[in-house]
Amino acid sequence: MTDDLEAIRKGKIQMLVGTDLAGADLAGADLAGADLSQANLTGANLAGANLQRAVLRANLRGADLSGADLRGADFRNADLRGASFANADLREASFGGAFLTGAAMGNLDLSGVDLRGADLRGAALARAILQSADLSNANLSGADLSGADLEEAVLNGAVLRGANLTGANLLCAAIEQTIWDGALLDRACLQGTPLSP
């Protein structure tokens, strides 16, 4: 597997559907455009990897994606519980239906990211930039969105039960049928929304 792993790191193997790469060290690998559908990347080190437009509908539990280039990556329905995204570039990535329970995504630029139907319960999204992001039907129960920028974000049908939105910017956000039970909205900007005072 050592020779294969080196070839994967250099981007020579792009079709990795169903491949078992649990715990693999792929730090800095060039996997732009690779298809990792249904691959096992549990605990894999993908720090600093180039995963632009890669298909990552895979098991990435506990994977290290810190500093990775994930622009336009497809994480739909992926298992990302416990994954690390510190300093990753996630612009235009798709996380529809993904499991991001407890994910640490604070201070990241998630502008325009597709998070429709994602499970973000207890996620750390403090000060994240979520401008124009689609969070329709996402479960954000107990999530920390304090200081987050949700300007023009789509939150239709989202569950924000017990979420912390202290100081969040919700300017002109779409919030039809959003569930707010117990959400903290102290100092939140609600201008242009039906919740505006």
Side-chain angles (χ1 to χ4, degrees):
M1 183 70 176
T2 307
D3 291 342
D4 287 347
L5 200 57
E6 194 54 34
I8 291 168
R9 288 176 57 78
K10 292 180 178 174
K12 293 180 179 175
I13 302 174
Q14 292 283 299
M15 284 300 295
L16 295 160
V17 178
T19 305
D20 187 358
L21 293 165
D25 184 2
L26 294 165
D30 184 1
L31 293 163
D35 189 346
L36 290 143
S37 300
Q38 296 163 19
N40 181 7
L41 289 154
T42 306
N45 181 5
L46 292 155
N50 179 2
L51 289 154
Q52 277 189 65
R53 299 174 316 284
V55 180
L56 291 154
R57 300 184 200 176
N59 183 349
L60 288 142
R61 281 184 90 159
D64 184 358
L65 293 153
S66 56
D69 186 345
L70 302 166
R71 288 175 292 170
D74 182 355
F75 288 100
R76 285 178 292 168
N77 301 311
D79 186 346
L80 292 152
R81 288 174 280 188
S84 172
F85 291 97
N87 301 312
D89 190 341
L90 292 163
R91 287 173 292 170
E92 298 176 20
S94 175
F95 289 92
F99 295 94
L100 289 152
T101 312
M105 301 173 90
N107 296 307
L108 292 178
D109 186 349
L110 300 165
S111 302
V113 169
D114 177 6
L115 287 155
R116 287 176 293 175
D119 187 346
L120 287 151
R121 286 174 295 165
L125 290 155
R127 295 171 302 286
I129 300 169
L130 288 150
Q131 291 181 358
S132 303
D134 192 343
L135 292 141
S136 304
N137 303 309
N139 189 344
L140 291 145
S141 295
D144 182 4
L145 288 151
S146 57
D149 187 350
L150 290 147
E151 185 173 336
E152 296 185 354
V154 180
L155 290 158
N156 296 331
V159 179
L160 288 154
R161 198 173 276 120
N164 182 0
L165 289 138
T166 302
N169 177 18
L170 289 150
L171 181 69
C172 298
I175 57 170
E176 289 179 28
Q177 299 179 337
T178 302
I179 297 169
W180 300 94
D181 302 350
L184 299 175
L185 292 163
D186 298 341
R187 301 186 315 281
C189 174
L190 301 166
Q191 192 175 347
T193 73
L195 293 175
S196 183

